[in-house]
Amino acid sequence: MEEAAELPPAPPEARAVFGDRFQDAVRYAELLADAGVRRGLIGPREVPRLWERHLLNCAVLSEAVPEDVSVCDVGSGAGLPGIPLALVRPDLQITLLEPLLRRTTFLSEVVELLGLDHVTVVRGRAEEVLGKLPPVHVVTARAVAPLDRLAGWGVPLLRPYGEMLALKGDTAEEELKGARAALSKLGVERTSVLQVGEGVVDPPSTLVRVEVGESPGGVRFAAKRAKAARTSRSRRRR
């Protein structure tokens, strides 16, 4: 395996963004640069740009997340954007959803080490936990899949009138345009593209915001959710 480069010092912006959790952010960056690379969670070439491209790029997502809500980070991987978001927003109840064992093991270690009591790690795919996890106010995701496919996984996990926030790059507008038909079938009522992190990351992070109405996922997923809930209740009664 290619040897990882040395982790650069935290930029001044990191102190302002992470505040009293700055040292925890440094510890997380060190874990990503060491165990994260050794376990194949991030590429060694990402280490020199961990702060700007990963930690800060994800932390500024907090600008778009309402206060005191529940969040599910779908396909959390090494904890991006969920861990940086948790460090800057102790008011949120965050679930890190990830199907791969080696990743959930790493996430659980990070959550315990950093004392993130408001974060829960769940192993599974979005379609597997539908009806088993309580619906959330906000779903977050970063570099997981094209928007139409990502929405098919994330939108059904939302509460009525919830929203999905997907960190995207230059293709955000194009992806949104191509996904409109699929989003409509999923009960999406409004979409927008936002820029967050002005003055913190250059260029600012690009977010696609997808807002649902009273039927997240549309009719098909409402039936699937109800069936999963009935099965879960039946098992608890046994």
Side-chain angles (χ1 to χ4, degrees), residues 75-156:
S76 196
L80 300 164
I83 297 291
L85 183 62
L87 287 171
V88 298
R89 294 291 299 276
D91 59 302
L92 304 175
Q93 292 298 317
I94 299 177
T95 298
L96 306 179
L97 182 62
E98 169 56 47
L100 294 184
L101 177 60
R102 64 189 170 90
R103 292 175 180 170
T104 53
T105 300
F106 176 78
L107 292 173
S108 297
E109 291 169 1
V110 171
V111 165
E112 183 176 358
L113 183 69
L114 302 185
L116 298 173
D117 299 334
H118 58 305
V119 178
T120 303
V121 178
V122 174
R123 185 184 174 199
R125 299 182 185 280
E127 56 269 35
E128 295 168 349
V129 302
L130 188 65
K132 299 173 185 175
L133 289 181
V136 296
H137 297 89
V138 178
V139 162
T140 58
R142 178 185 190 237
V144 173
L147 187 59
D148 53 352
R149 204 178 339 147
L150 175 60
W153 299 333
V155 167

Side-chain angles (χ1 to χ4, degrees), residues 6 24 28 50 73 84 173 179 199 233:
E6 188 176 341
D24 289 324
Y28 177 51
L50 264 178
D73 188 30
E173 294 278 5
R233 284 196 298 271

Side-chain angles (χ1 to χ4, degrees), residues 203-216:
S205 301
T206 302
L207 281 183
V208 174
R209 172 181 268 152
V210 169
E211 300 172 79
V212 299
E214 60 183 44
S215 299

Side-chain angles (χ1 to χ4, degrees), residues 126-212:
E127 56 269 35
E128 295 168 349
V129 302
L130 188 65
K132 299 173 185 175
L133 289 181
V136 296
H137 297 89
V138 178
V139 162
T140 58
R142 178 185 190 237
V144 173
L147 187 59
D148 53 352
R149 204 178 339 147
L150 175 60
W153 299 333
V155 167
L157 300 176
L158 291 169
R159 291 169 48 139
Y161 306 105
E163 60 187 273
M164 184 179 77
L165 297 171
L167 275 161
K168 292 286 182 181
D170 298 338
T171 62
E173 294 278 5
E174 189 180 330
E175 280 196 52
L176 186 53
K177 188 176 180 181
R180 289 201 189 280
L183 294 176
S184 180
K185 290 178 183 176
L186 288 167
V188 172
E189 295 192 345
R190 282 178 299 278
T191 61
S192 52
V193 175
L194 315 174
Q195 301 285 318
V196 292
E198 187 75 44
V200 177
V201 286
D202 184 23
S205 301
T206 302
L207 281 183
V208 174
R209 172 181 268 152
V210 169
E211 300 172 79
V212 299

